[in-house]
Amino acid sequence: MSNSIKIVVPTDFSNESLAVLDWVKRLSDRGHAEVHCVNVVQQPMMYMPVAPGTAMGTMPSVNELQGIAKQSLTTFVEAHMFDLETLPLTKVLVGRPAEEITNYAQEIDAQMIVIATRGQSGLAHMMLGSTAEGVVRSAKCPVLTVRSDTGA
């Protein structure tokens, strides 16, 4: 049994998701944390452009999306989390982001989730919703939200 805490760090590979890195480093250095960096792939229909004349045959499969996400996650961790005491574990999940993130955190008995917010307000927030907000509402462990100043 390990004495380290488990921290789940979701990323969508955006510049905004980099806002959490300083906090993750601080938390992992202090508590010798086991960091789990995750990305959530949604069902292929979520990626279809809504445009007339778009060919339906170009939709990627879930397996293709997972493969792309797995490689992107490895690249992301190597580029941005190389200075952690131990390289994070990586996991690609499939489903609704907030739900999958909180389920994964519960499954591994994580003590914390550290997630970036984009700081959207008004119509943008209402239309797009917020993965971070969904995670805060449903997580069984504490959630540290870090606002990104690079977002909309």
Side-chain angles (χ1 to χ4, degrees):
M1 182 144 180
S2 173
N3 287 335
S4 67
I5 63 169
K6 295 178 185 174
I7 301 173
V8 174
V9 182
T11 184
D12 62 2
F13 313 119
S14 66
N15 286 335
E16 290 85 358
S17 67
L18 298 175
V20 304
L21 296 177
D22 189 42
W23 282 100
V24 170
K25 174 133 178 64
R26 286 188 223 172
L27 291 166
S28 67
D29 283 351
R30 289 189 181 160
H32 305 288
E34 180 179 291
V35 177
H36 293 248
C37 192
V38 302
N39 175 260
V40 182
V41 170
Q42 296 182 57
Q43 292 299 323
M45 202 57 152
M46 298 299 295
Y47 297 94
M48 280 304 293
V50 182
T54 302
M56 290 299 287
T58 61
M59 190 170 12
S61 71
V62 172
N63 287 341
E64 289 171 324
L65 293 171
Q66 283 179 291
I68 293 166
K70 186 174 183 178
Q71 182 56 50
S72 297
L73 197 52
T74 299
T75 301
F76 180 85
V77 165
E78 289 172 355
H80 301 292
M81 301 176 126
F82 62 88
D83 56 349
L84 296 180
E85 190 174 300
T86 304
L87 271 182
L89 300 169
T90 59
K91 182 77 172 181
V92 174
L93 308 166
V94 178
R96 294 183 175 145
E99 184 179 315
E100 293 301 321
I101 292 163
T102 56
N103 287 346
Y104 181 75
Q106 192 169 357
E107 178 184 309
I108 66 162
D109 196 26
Q111 284 74 36
M112 179 178 281
I113 300 169
V114 181
I115 189 168
T117 67
R118 287 198 166 83
Q120 295 170 326
S121 61
L123 185 59
H125 178 75
M126 188 174 79
M127 296 296 288
L128 299 174
S130 169
T131 296
E133 188 175 316
V135 169
V136 168
R137 277 195 221 135
S138 58
K140 305 281 189 236
C141 63
V143 179
L144 172 61
T145 59
V146 181
R147 184 178 169 134
S148 168
D149 292 329
T150 63

